[in-house]
Amino acid sequence: MPEKYQYYRLWADVDLNAIRSNILKVQKNLSEHVRTCAVVKADGYGHGAVQVAEAVSDLVDFYAVATIEEGLELREHQIWKPVLVLGYVHPSMYESAIMNGIRLTVYDLSIAKGLSAAHERLISQAGSEQVKDAPIHIKVDTGMSRIGFFPSRESVQVLKEIASLPGIRMEGIFTHFANADDETTERALDQLDVFRRFLSELEAEGLHFPVRHCANSAAATCLQEAQLDMVRLGISMYGLYPSCYVRQIPLEPAMSLRSHVIMVKKIPAGTPVGYGSTWTAPEESVIATIPTGYADGYNRGLSNKGYVLIGGAKYPVVGRVCMDQMMVDVTNPLEGKGGEVREGDEVILVGRSGDLYITAEEISELAGSFNYEFVCGISKRVPRIYH
Ligand SMILES: *Cc1c(COP(=O)(O)O)cnc(C)c1O
């Protein structure tokens, strides 16, 4: 282990080149005109939104975030490409969104009216040369039953009204798949069909959108016909798979989670380990303490279930995962050769050691979760080290 990292209890290594190469691999499957939106919400799925956005800026055309604060963070770091907020924004932030060129998702009439009013207020303060039109993206609900307009006749009329509001520019329209990562593409294709029919209705009414988009990572990799004008890449950028069914493209996980052994001790047979004494040494055992716990995002559900890699061998987590520490039975490896485990040895929680690899997918599934939640859950106090 590099000496300097012993300063940290644990850390997340983030390989920015892996993120770049994952984008390039997905883009190989895209038609030439299709734009790429890098989804960097939730601090770049835990990888660091600003660092990721900077590292991929020459490869993408758009960024997507979940909150206005996430969008403003990009602007504060001189990231100027278009940013789309995918979710709710409080009306008090509309002026700030307009001034920063941050695109809002419009899923009902009141958002558009509020934005238009905010635009007028800005013009009355600064003059019309100073304030650009507010580009918006209309959200259509084709099967998620989350935010969005229903693809109905009534919605066509509402969208016409929105298009006529002063200060509003219809830049994009999008929908989101509920099942793009399914075993079959049937349901996603149904949603795509609904979306396309709605787009034709809008076009017949004179409503045109330069950026029509619907594909997330799963659809961008498996549904050629869903690419439209832009794809929104989240999980695949980070080298993780949307589900076990979507593994067409070999991706490289960008994050590994590492720590080190801070104490090794021998305990006699019959000695309990951890809160609640849920594990008892069946024989004389060697226990290593790792300074990583559920407050770091290492799920408590991994108590007596998880495993780690030390020196190219796999060892089980024993007892309950504590808030800031956990214990590992290093008496005998589950896999790999192993040797004597010593204080200071590097511990791989997710990532490679020798021939062995622990994926975010397998470890999160053991805890009853999934890879998206695992990487987003690596807490703020875990330093990210960039390569
Ligand atoms: C999070 C999100 C995405 C990215 O999804 P991945 O499965 O991570 O690629 C795309 N679109 C919307 C609307 C999202 O909320």
Side-chain angles (χ1 to χ4, degrees):
M1 172 169 64
E3 186 73 14
K4 62 179 179 179
Y5 297 139
Q6 295 220 1
Y7 173 81
Y8 304 117
R9 288 181 310 121
L10 78 155
W11 70 98
D13 261 339
V14 178
D15 182 350
L16 294 170
N17 269 327
I19 295 178
R20 288 180 61 84
S21 85
N22 291 328
I23 293 179
L24 290 167
K25 279 180 204 157
V26 176
Q27 283 175 336
K28 264 201 194 136
N29 284 12
L30 302 180
S31 311
E32 191 128 2
H33 71 280
V34 178
R35 286 181 254 196
T36 301
C37 171
V39 182
V40 294
K41 62 191 179 190
D43 203 20
Y45 291 42
H47 294 66
V50 170
Q51 288 82 358
V52 171
E54 281 172 349
V56 306
S57 66
D58 59 320
L59 302 180
V60 304
D61 309 280
F62 248 90
Y63 295 103
V65 292
T67 70
I68 184 73
E69 290 78 12
E70 290 175 344
L72 292 171
E73 187 190 17
L74 298 181
R75 293 294 188 244
E76 278 155 21
H77 287 84
Q78 277 71 53
I79 292 162
W80 302 121
K81 290 219 167 136
V83 173
L84 168 65
V85 180
L86 298 166
Y88 171 79
V89 172
H90 189 269
S92 65
M93 299 302 286
Y94 289 173
E95 291 181 20
S96 173
I98 296 168
M99 289 311 282
N100 287 284
I102 294 175
R103 282 82 169 140
L104 297 193
T105 291
V106 169
Y107 51 85
D108 65 28
L109 180 58
S110 71
I111 299 173
K113 282 186 167 164
L115 261 179
S116 177
H119 188 266
E120 277 183 28
R121 282 196 302 278
L122 286 170
I123 284 190
S124 69
Q125 289 157 20
S128 57
E129 314 79 61
Q130 301 301 319
V131 188
K132 290 201 187 112
D133 277 355
I136 60 168
H137 287 233
I138 299 291
K139 181 70 181 282
V140 184
D141 177 9
T142 58
M144 270 290 277
S145 300
R146 203 167 63 176
I147 52 172
F149 291 96
F150 283 121
S152 62
R153 279 309 300 167
E154 199 187 335
S155 297
V156 175
Q157 293 313 312
V158 177
L159 295 193
K160 278 174 87 170
E161 186 178 348
I162 292 176
S164 70
L165 290 170
I168 297 292
R169 178 158 64 86
M170 303 287 240
E171 179 179 70
I173 187 165
F174 71 112
T175 192
H176 191 51
F177 291 124
N179 307 284
D181 53 352
D182 264 9
E183 196 170 0
T184 69
T185 54
E186 220 170 293
R187 282 159 177 272
L189 287 172
D190 283 347
Q191 275 190 260
L192 179 61
D193 194 42
V194 170
F195 187 50
R196 279 212 173 119
R197 270 185 281 146
F198 188 54
L199 287 176
S200 320
E201 265 186 79
L202 293 172
E203 272 163 25
E205 296 281 343
L207 289 175
H208 301 278
F209 297 85
V211 191
R212 299 158 299 173
H213 48 113
C214 60
N216 53 7
S217 292
T221 47
C222 329
L223 274 187
Q224 190 78 24
E225 50 283 60
Q227 295 173 6
L228 306 184
D229 300 310
M230 182 164 84
V231 296
R232 305 186 299 267
L233 300 184
I235 201 80
S236 58
M237 250 195 347
Y238 304 103
L240 303 173
Y241 294 96
S243 77
C244 60
Y245 302 117
V246 183
R247 287 180 165 275
Q248 277 86 336
I249 299 175
L251 300 171
E252 196 183 332
M255 186 196 283
S256 65
L257 194 61
R258 292 149 190 268
S259 183
H260 52 93
V261 175
I262 55 165
M263 188 167 205
V264 180
K265 58 179 53 170
K266 221 173 235 170
I267 57 172
T271 308
V273 170
Y275 288 122
S277 306
T278 58
W279 189 83
T280 302
E283 53 178 347
E284 183 182 70
S285 300
V286 186
I287 300 296
T289 299
I290 319 296
T292 298
Y294 60 79
D296 299 303
Y298 198 85
N299 200 299
R300 189 165 174 272
L302 292 166
S303 300
N304 291 310
K305 281 189 187 164
Y307 38 78
V308 303
L309 304 176
I310 304 172
K314 187 187 269 189
Y315 300 98
V317 172
V318 292
R320 288 204 182 128
V321 173
C322 312
M323 187 184 285
D324 321 291
Q325 307 183 53
M326 62 190 206
M327 285 68 83
V328 171
D329 176 14
V330 295
T331 319
N332 296 300
L334 296 168
E335 248 183 86
K337 242 178 107 213
E340 193 193 338
V341 171
R342 294 197 191 87
E343 195 183 307
D345 283 354
E346 187 178 31
V347 177
I348 309 291
L349 304 155
V350 169
R352 176 178 300 286
S353 176
D355 297 332
L356 299 180
Y357 199 98
I358 298 177
T359 62
E361 277 90 1
E362 63 180 294
I363 208 74
S364 57
E365 259 160 48
L366 270 181
S369 176
F370 76 145
N371 52 7
Y372 288 70
E373 190 178 20
F374 186 82
V375 286
C376 289
I378 304 300
S379 62
K380 249 200 153 70
R381 76 180 191 186
V382 179
R384 272 62 171 177
I385 308 293
Y386 293 95
H387 300 279

